[in-house]
Amino acid sequence: MPIKGGQLKSIWYDAEACEVCVVDQTRLPHEFAIHRLRTLEDACEAITSMRVRGAPLIGVTAVFGVYLALRENPDSLEIAIKRLRETRPTAVNLHWALGRAARELSEQGHADAAGMSLAFALALAEEDAACCEALGGHGGELLRRLWREHCGQDRPLQVLTHCNAGALAAVDWGTALAAVYKAANAGVPLHVWVNETRPRNQGGALTCWELRQAGIDHSLIVDGAAGHVMASGLVDVCITGSDRVSAAGDVCNKIGTYQVALAARDNNLPFYAALPVSTIDFDWPSADEAIPIEERAAEEISLTSGIEAGGRETRVRQYPEETVVRNFAFDVTPARLVSGIITEHGVFDANRNSLAALANN
């Protein structure tokens, strides 16, 4: 991702300090801070507290967590994987990455377990960045085609997105925003409508921050305004990321995505999900079968953080403590509302027959 004229990834290994470095997303947009992981528990805390978030990045962080555990105890592979699996229940990349790590490292035995696990984590990080860049290429071409068909040279393509599916959600590039970045790099004029994404405001705090760094025109709106801007003719296409996709093309993503897809369908607008193939859970047949939907702490809704006029960060309570709060983190958009699934291998229809071609990738 572009940071102050340079390029930076969301996670990397500091070989000199022997530490894993991540961008602390809980500090954005007011402060850009690097958080260092030194132990398995550091990695688990970073995932559960959402210092790191986004399905691809969670998976890579977890594999670095395995390395940190094996560095301390070469016999801790099973314990580390079990502990890391418990951090977030919904995003399938976490379980996919840990499954790969378990297979790879179990075959190697205990000889240089730390060295082997570090090499695997570094390779997975590079793989993720390349994968996201590739899917961004396919998504960028899709946006360029939509611009030519609907806008021509007259106006920018109007894109609406929900939550954060940019470089901060992956090692680099991201998923939905990777398509935006690639289209912008190809000369497509763009304006992005950014849903605030309550309660943690990843759209306002993270997506707007990324788009500002990249110099891409954007406007922040509250989640409830998405249908209005679509009905007002201000949107050409909706594109989001995903935390898990079923074999039939149902899209599990940040809470509020389902409403975006419903409004898009009512306004005859395309709705796409962008994701690496590792996000497709071929063991999840369809939305007819329930998956774990994470429910997070009530304080994420009842308390809010911000910066006072004097520059001091503060937290304030919005609702009485006795207010009952249900904080569902994800919802499922049925495949019938999804125009297509953008992957590193191209754009696929959101149905079982089309996605089956990706099962062995």
Side-chain angles (χ1 to χ4, degrees):
M1 73 184 88
I3 302 291
K4 298 179 180 178
Q7 291 290 322
L8 186 69
K9 293 182 177 179
S10 297
I11 187 169
W12 68 96
Y13 182 66
D14 182 340
E16 184 174 340
C18 297
E19 296 172 343
V20 179
C21 301
V22 298
V23 176
D24 188 344
Q25 298 184 36
T26 64
R27 307 302 303 166
L28 291 170
H30 304 298
E31 178 189 2
F32 181 82
I34 304 303
H35 185 71
R36 292 178 175 268
L37 312 179
R38 301 176 178 89
T39 67
L40 169 64
E41 285 308 313
D42 287 346
C44 292
E45 188 277 337
I47 295 171
T48 55
S49 69
M50 296 178 70
R51 294 184 193 276
V52 296
R53 35 134 317 271
L57 182 58
I58 288 172
V60 173
T61 303
V63 172
F64 273 112
V66 171
Y67 154 67
L68 294 171
L70 295 180
R71 185 173 69 178
E72 295 298 318
N73 179 3
D75 296 320
S76 64
L77 179 61
E78 291 186 11
I79 295 173
I81 287 178
K82 180 178 184 297
R83 177 72 182 89
L84 287 158
R85 283 186 189 278
E86 296 169 347
T87 55
R88 299 290 301 273
T90 303
V92 75
N93 296 67
L94 172 69
H95 306 283
W96 170 84
L98 289 173
R100 282 187 60 180
R103 291 189 297 273
E104 176 80 14
L105 300 175
S106 295
E107 295 173 358
Q108 304 300 326
H110 299 314
D112 192 21
M116 294 299 298
S117 60
L118 176 58
F120 179 75
L122 292 170
L124 188 66
E126 291 302 315
E127 178 184 314
D128 181 79
C131 178
C132 287
E133 183 173 8
L135 76 84
H138 294 296
E141 180 56 35
L142 171 65
L143 295 183
R144 186 160 71 102
R145 177 174 59 79
L146 290 173
W147 171 62
R148 286 176 171 173
E149 291 175 356
H150 299 288
C151 309
Q153 301 295 324
D154 297 334
R155 62 175 179 83
L157 183 72
Q158 300 283 341
V159 181
L160 185 140
T161 191
H162 186 71
C163 197
N164 172 260
L168 289 167
V171 175
D172 203 1
W173 286 98
T175 54
L177 287 192
V180 170
Y181 295 147
K182 285 290 188 177
N185 291 346
V188 176
L190 295 155
H191 174 266
V192 182
W193 294 96
V194 182
N195 278 0
E196 184 183 31
T197 324
R198 286 278 294 153
R200 293 187 66 95
N201 301 332
Q202 296 101 319
L206 305 179
T207 297
C208 288
W209 182 85
E210 280 198 43
L211 292 172
R212 187 166 62 251
Q213 298 294 319
I216 294 175
D217 190 34
H218 60 280
S219 299
L220 176 66
I221 56 174
V222 298
D223 297 356
H228 169 72
V229 297
M230 292 186 216
S232 300
L234 300 175
V235 176
D236 297 305
V237 58
C238 301
I239 181 170
T240 71
S242 177
D243 290 83
R244 184 185 298 209
V245 170
S246 78
D250 309 290
V251 174
C252 177
N253 193 49
K254 182 58 61 181
I255 195 76
T257 303
Y258 180 32
Q259 287 99 313
V260 170
L262 284 170
R265 174 57 58 91
D266 192 56
N267 288 280
N268 297 312
L269 294 172
F271 172 91
Y272 290 93
L275 49 118
V277 171
S278 57
T279 301
I280 303 175
D281 182 359
F282 291 99
D283 293 327
W284 178 29
S286 72
D288 294 333
E289 183 172 319
I291 58 171
I293 296 294
E294 180 178 2
E295 188 167 354
R296 295 183 61 82
E299 287 74 18
E300 290 185 348
I301 293 176
S302 59
L303 298 178
T304 189
S305 300
I307 302 295
E308 293 181 335
R312 184 173 68 91
E313 184 176 353
T314 186
R315 298 188 79 193
V316 298
R317 176 169 293 280
Q318 300 189 98
Y319 311 110
E321 292 188 20
E322 60 269 21
T323 301
V324 177
V325 175
R326 299 294 303 275
N327 184 11
F328 302 105
F330 301 94
D331 59 28
V332 176
T333 298
R336 68 178 183 275
L337 300 177
V338 181
S339 305
I341 306 291
I342 304 168
T343 77
E344 67 268 35
H345 298 290
V347 183
F348 293 78
D349 294 332
N351 61 56
R352 193 179 308 276
N353 290 336
S354 182
L355 296 179
L358 297 170
N360 296 319
N361 287 283

